[in-house]
Amino acid sequence: MKKILLGIALCVVALQSCKKDNDEEEIVVVPIADQNAYDDAAAIKFMESNYFNDKGVITAFDDTVTTDDNYPKLSSYPHETLPSGVIYIKRAEAFQPNPGKEIAPTDVISIMQVTKTYIATKTDDNVAYGSESTFINNVTTSGIPSTDPAYFYVKQSVLDAYNKANNTTVGRDFYEIEGLQEGLKYFKSFDNLDPATDYNMQGVIIVPSRAAYARDNTIYGTVYANRSFVFNFQLYNTRTRLDSEK
């Protein structure tokens, strides 16, 4: 009986060992250069596979219907790719503020948005965004724009408080998304527009993971590691930051 029990125990240990080995083999760390290439290729495919609906919200083409056949692809709109890999796309001038207000790096912004994140992967030579996750969606939740978000500009007082509480020396990139800051330089904010006014998105900024949180530990932990961000937005009443808000 003891021999039988010993045999069973050894089998369990062997199975656990095999499982551990298999789990370890399944963990594949994509080289940074490859991840960057996947991000860029997936962004192009995303622009080919999606369009702006009548409210400017990014929507995927549906092969099972014909109602979206007349909408132009995102890639057909004027767009630019910055050296960082960030892509920004503007809707027609009719959806842009006129004259609008320039956005300074330290401004307090108010942004209505449907922002999602993705991990670009390669499967059978096909590169595409996957693992979709919603970062923020004001449209279907509160209907109220995000005001002064730390992922655009984090207050020094917030940084100081975090470092003091955690005995750390984290910098601005612990909170901020550099690619969003880069992209917003090419847009203007609607001025004196009531945020309660029905939204109409003015464009999109696609931020590859290297211009977002890359593989760094951030205020979100590693939740957004290797994730590209797609900001679909409208800006309201950007203003100069007060000294008390820095």
Side-chain angles (χ1 to χ4, degrees):
M1 184 66 176
K2 289 183 178 178
K3 289 183 179 180
I4 293 174
L5 293 175
L6 178 60
I8 293 173
L10 289 174
C11 287
V12 171
V13 171
L15 288 172
Q16 290 178 337
S17 177
C18 289
K19 183 179 184 301
K20 182 178 180 181
D21 290 341
N22 289 336
D23 289 344
E24 290 176 350
E25 290 174 0
E26 291 172 0
I27 298 175
V28 178
V29 179
V30 178
I32 293 176
D34 288 349
Q35 186 64 61
N36 292 344
Y38 295 167
D39 288 349
D40 295 341
I44 293 173
K45 185 171 183 178
F46 182 85
M47 292 167 61
E48 291 290 312
S49 305
N50 290 270
Y51 64 95
F52 288 122
N53 70 12
D54 294 336
K55 302 296 292 181
V57 175
I58 294 174
T59 307
F61 284 107
D62 187 342
D63 293 335
T64 65
V65 301
T66 60
T67 53
D68 57 9
D69 289 351
N70 293 325
Y71 286 93
K73 302 175 181 178
L74 293 182
S75 59
S76 69
Y77 289 83
H79 61 276
E80 297 289 339
T81 302
L82 305 179
S84 63
V86 170
I87 300 172
Y88 69 89
I89 307 169
K90 287 187 175 182
R91 291 181 75 198
E93 285 303 314
F95 302 107
Q96 305 302 320
N98 185 16
K101 186 176 181 181
E102 300 285 349
I103 303 167
T106 61
D107 276 351
V108 174
I109 69 169
S110 185
I111 179 171
M112 180 69 82
Q113 61 185 305
V114 178
T115 297
K116 297 184 178 182
T117 74
Y118 306 86
I119 295 181
T121 58
K122 184 177 183 180
T123 305
D124 297 330
D125 292 326
N126 178 44
V127 178
Y129 283 149
S131 302
E132 178 183 299
S133 174
T134 297
F135 182 59
I136 293 174
N137 184 342
N138 306 127
V139 171
T140 59
T141 54
S142 65
I144 300 173
S146 305
T147 299
D148 200 17
Y151 49 83
F152 174 72
Y153 177 88
V154 61
K155 300 175 183 178
Q156 187 60 47
S157 59
V158 171
L159 272 179
D160 292 343
Y162 181 91
N163 283 325
K164 182 177 181 180
N166 296 279
N167 194 28
T168 54
T169 57
V170 301
R172 310 199 70 83
D173 58 356
F174 191 69
Y175 286 84
E176 298 174 355
I177 299 176
E178 183 179 355
L180 174 63
Q181 297 169 333
E182 288 186 67
L184 285 182
K185 294 176 183 177
Y186 299 90
F187 290 85
K188 293 182 179 180
S189 168
F190 285 88
D191 206 11
N192 298 319
L193 180 65
D194 183 355
T197 301
D198 198 16
Y199 71 90
N200 213 324
M201 303 303 193
Q202 63 192 97
V204 59
I205 297 173
I206 302 176
V207 182
S209 62
R210 63 185 180 276
Y213 293 122
R215 299 184 176 185
D216 300 333
N217 184 36
T218 69
I219 188 62
Y220 304 105
T222 57
V223 172
Y224 295 111
N226 293 322
R227 284 191 168 269
S228 295
F229 285 69
V230 179
F231 289 89
N232 186 194
F233 63 92
Q234 183 176 20
L235 294 165
Y236 300 84
N237 303 326
T238 293
R239 64 175 177 80
T240 301
R241 184 175 300 276
L242 303 175
D243 288 341
S244 60
E245 298 173 313
K246 294 181 179 178

